[in-house]
Amino acid sequence: MLALRLKAWKTEAVLEEVPEPGLPPAGALLKVIGAGACHSDLHLMRDFETDAMGWGPPFTLGHENTGEIVALGRRAFGLEVGQPVAVYGPWGCGHCRRCAIGEESYCENAAAIGPAGGGLGLDGGMAPLMAVPDTRLLVPLGSLDPVEAAPLTDAGLTPYHAVNRSLPKLVPGSAAVVIGAGGLGHMAVQILKAVSPAKVIVVDTRQEALALAKSLGADETVSMDENPGPAIMELTHGRGAEAVIDLVGADSTIALGMRVARTRGDLSLVGLAGGSAPFRFLTARIEVEMATTFWGTRAELMEVISLAQAGLIRSHVQRFTLDQAAGAYRLMREGKLEGRAVVTPNA
Ligand code: FEH
Ligand code: ZN
Ligand code: ZN
């Protein structure tokens, strides 16, 4: 079958013929319906040059996947052939303390395992068929459109986890700032409006991205190019925001987050732009908690899918066939995508 492959670090993805995957004994074989193109894939193609992650190419890209079950291994309770499912992306060991509570994104045996999942060292969803090693990694989609649902597994789950960690602080009268209104940002806005009473303020450089965020429920939008710090402080009555979610991760956005996080607020660094900021007394308000976050838990993916099934969140996708997939990454690199690019390998 044809697959979009990363053949070596610092190379562009290419289409090549690969053998069809077999059925994992405890897992499932999926007909891929949707494979989201993630900004992290651009980092895989450009920024990694050694197996610093403990894994490396060649592998098939695509770590944001939905599919239809074609065959099931032996431990497939509650699943059936023909069922549409979402694939939980971080494939942990399944038995350590973190995996035991569904936090496979933080598996304590990750270093020993190596590859982080399908599309991250193992073969992912940018191909007509995909093998998933264990049925615990599958979440039924019910009546959701599997193409539109693919971004829920990463562009939805990742900001959902970041919002979740701040949820106790997002009380009536609070504010949440989302920095970056792209693939993850347009989901973060909807998630915040669905699960909290917080005023949602979105920051981006692109007017069309801010317009999409506004149409999806953002209460306020602020241009990153127009002195966003004072603007956000005014919008929060001089107090700052209880939660700041930086989906970019550049020097300027981290500095903005530290500037506008309220006393005892949270700054969650999710974006991979590689930025940094000094962390000294008074570089942020007192007791601002800063943390990086990575993806989300299996239970949180179930919650994200429930939000979508309730019609409270919806990913905006641009569809591409498998032979258009490399072009989708080019558009992403040029900032010309609105919402998320989803490849449909069987369309
Ligand atoms: C993937 C690979 C490496 C770092 C971060 C990511 C995220 O896109 C996963 O959500
Ligand atoms: Zn990703
Ligand atoms: Zn584990």
Side-chain angles (χ1 to χ4, degrees):
M1 66 180 187
L2 262 185
L4 187 72
R5 306 277 289 172
L6 183 67
K7 296 193 72 176
W9 291 129
K10 285 189 173 298
T11 62
E12 294 302 314
V14 293
L15 279 175
E16 73 169 352
E17 277 294 329
V18 296
E20 292 191 357
L23 170 64
L29 189 60
L30 302 186
K31 171 188 172 188
V32 178
I33 307 293
C38 179
H39 215 274
S40 306
D41 294 334
L42 296 180
H43 291 292
L44 295 182
M45 293 177 215
R46 286 205 157 175
D47 304 333
F48 293 83
E49 51 192 333
T50 63
D51 288 0
M53 310 278 280
W55 45 270
F59 57 86
T60 299
L61 286 169
H63 60 266
E64 184 178 81
N65 304 299
T66 54
E68 182 185 296
I69 295 175
V70 171
L72 281 166
R74 60 178 181 280
R75 282 193 9 228
F77 316 115
L79 296 170
E80 53 193 41
V81 170
Q83 194 171 10
V85 289
V87 182
Y88 176 71
W91 298 352
C93 71
H95 54 79
C96 73
R97 179 73 180 76
R98 294 283 183 205
C99 288
I101 56 175
E103 292 180 357
E104 303 209 22
S105 45
Y106 298 150
C107 173
E108 287 165 338
N109 293 315
I113 291 174
L120 301 171
L122 295 173
D123 288 341
M126 296 228 173
L129 293 171
M130 176 184 181
V132 178
D134 193 298
T135 51
R136 76 176 193 271
L137 302 168
L138 301 177
V139 180
L141 285 174
S143 58
L144 286 180
D145 170 354
V147 176
E148 282 194 9
L152 298 177
T153 65
D154 184 5
L157 176 56
T158 298
Y160 183 82
H161 178 75
V163 169
N164 230 1
R165 65 185 292 271
S166 294
L167 211 45
K169 299 181 181 179
L170 296 176
V171 297
S174 65
V177 173
V178 175
I179 304 177
L184 276 67
H186 89 286
M187 296 306 294
V189 173
Q190 299 175 76
I191 290 164
L192 280 161
K193 296 305 290 182
V195 303
S196 86
K199 172 192 281 187
V200 178
I201 301 167
V202 178
V203 183
D204 201 293
T205 56
R206 300 164 297 164
Q207 284 309 314
E208 66 279 3
L210 291 176
L212 176 63
K214 191 78 173 175
S215 72
L216 293 173
D219 297 290
E220 302 288 351
T221 58
V222 173
S223 169
M224 186 68 189
D225 299 328
E226 293 167 17
N227 213 4
I232 293 169
M233 293 311 291
E234 185 177 345
L235 289 169
T236 55
H237 314 294
R239 296 190 297 257
E242 279 75 5
V244 180
I245 299 172
D246 181 357
L247 298 171
V248 177
D251 292 352
S252 59
T253 55
I254 298 171
L256 175 61
M258 294 176 79
R259 165 87 174 73
V260 301
R262 185 176 183 177
T263 302
R264 301 195 71 186
D266 290 332
L267 171 53
S268 294
L269 175 53
V270 179
L272 297 173
S276 62
F279 180 52
R280 292 188 302 272
F281 214 86
L282 297 184
T283 52
R285 288 180 182 79
I286 299 297
E287 215 170 310
V288 168
E289 297 174 49
M290 289 184 262
T292 53
T293 69
F294 175 70
W295 227 325
T297 72
R298 282 197 281 128
E300 288 174 333
L301 178 55
M302 295 172 184
E303 293 162 17
V304 168
I305 287 172
S306 296
L307 283 176
Q309 288 170 335
L312 295 171
I313 65 173
R314 183 169 170 237
S315 51
H316 286 240
V317 305
Q318 283 183 257
R319 298 170 189 231
F320 297 84
T321 57
L322 187 56
D323 57 13
Q324 295 168 335
Y329 283 109
R330 274 194 298 279
L331 289 173
M332 184 194 295
R333 190 170 281 142
E334 295 161 6
K336 292 178 180 170
L337 286 176
E338 268 197 35
R340 199 72 160 177
V342 176
V343 175
T344 54
N346 284 289

